[in-house]
Amino acid sequence: MALRHAVLAALLDEELSGYQVTKAFAAGVANFWHALPQQVYAELARLEKEGLVAGCEVVQEGRPNKRLFRVTGEGLAELEDFASAAAKPAFLREDLLVQVQAADHLDTDVLIERLTERYAFAEAKAALFEELLRRMRGGLDEAEFLLRGARVGPYLTCRRGRDFERANRDWCREVMGVLRARQAAGGEA
């Protein structure tokens, strides 16, 4: 997937400014695609130049003017082409996994500190996703929202982000338990 597709997907529902697109990334898209604000702005400029998004200047009183972007028919066609192609499998690249791989040769207490930090991060991120999911559902329970709610795509990707972070949290807890048990038993770790 290219950043272009993630930006186009973020613009599907409404016209957004570059700032709003970066906020949308932080709130939802970030669980499956990371981009810095300057990357998003550069991609918006490329997409506009290619005719995949259209931008318009909005004059604001007392504030700098802003530019709003919307997906064009060509942009939607680009997304449809992207969606029709086979998805490439994701590959996990995480420093913490390299550290755990080397656990038998590292200071266990330091490694447990790293795992504790990642556990806390995953717990907080999962809670943020859960709150976002609650807001997306409005007053509907999940089953009803999945059946009849508006914009199920962002909901499903947000759910994947929550589940991913929950799995990270649970894995960290398990690994910390193993390392602590090995320490207590006088084993190597």
Side-chain angles (χ1 to χ4, degrees):
M1 171 173 68
L3 176 58
R4 68 192 297 112
H5 301 116
V7 170
L8 287 169
L11 288 169
L12 284 174
D13 290 328
E14 60 185 323
E15 286 186 329
L16 298 174
S17 67
Y19 174 77
Q20 290 169 312
V21 172
T22 61
K23 295 293 277 185
F25 263 70
V29 178
N31 74 74
F32 59 88
W33 190 268
H34 174 73
L36 298 171
Q38 58 267 33
Q39 292 173 304
V40 172
Y41 283 104
E43 192 61 42
L44 281 167
R46 278 190 291 278
L47 290 169
E48 186 174 26
K49 186 176 180 182
E50 294 174 29
L52 302 178
V53 300
C56 67
E57 191 84 10
V58 175
V59 177
Q60 303 184 106
E61 288 188 34
R63 301 174 72 184
N65 294 343
K66 67 179 177 180
R67 192 156 184 76
L68 293 179
F69 298 92
R70 66 174 172 74
V71 176
T72 63
E74 292 85 359
L76 189 54
E78 171 78 16
L79 270 176
E80 288 172 351
D81 287 346
F82 169 72
S84 68
K88 295 177 186 173
F91 297 97
L92 189 58
R93 290 175 51 174
E94 187 171 336
D95 293 345
L96 185 58
L97 291 175
V98 175
Q99 294 167 348
V100 171
Q101 174 74 20
D104 301 311
H105 303 282
L106 301 177
D107 182 327
T108 301
D109 291 327
V110 171
L111 188 52
I112 289 172
E113 283 180 45
R114 298 297 77 76
L115 287 157
T116 301
E117 291 164 357
R118 183 63 176 96
Y119 176 93
F121 176 85
E123 181 76 9
K125 190 104 184 240
L128 286 173
F129 283 133
E130 190 59 49
E131 175 58 24
L132 184 56
L133 289 166
R134 188 190 62 72
R135 281 188 273 145
M136 288 175 163
R137 284 191 308 267
L140 300 176
D141 67 21
E142 185 167 78
E144 184 66 20
F145 181 84
L146 290 172
L147 190 60
R148 293 185 169 71
R151 297 290 288 132
V152 73
Y155 188 86
L156 293 171
T157 58
C158 187
R159 236 176 67 171
R160 175 66 178 109
R162 179 204 60 196
D163 295 348
F164 177 76
E165 291 303 342
R166 284 179 175 173
N168 284 332
R169 174 202 63 198
D170 295 347
W171 178 81
C172 287
R173 181 177 39 231
E174 178 184 2
V175 172
M176 287 186 291
V178 167
L179 294 176
R180 286 182 179 126
R182 287 175 62 87
Q183 263 184 332
E188 304 216 0

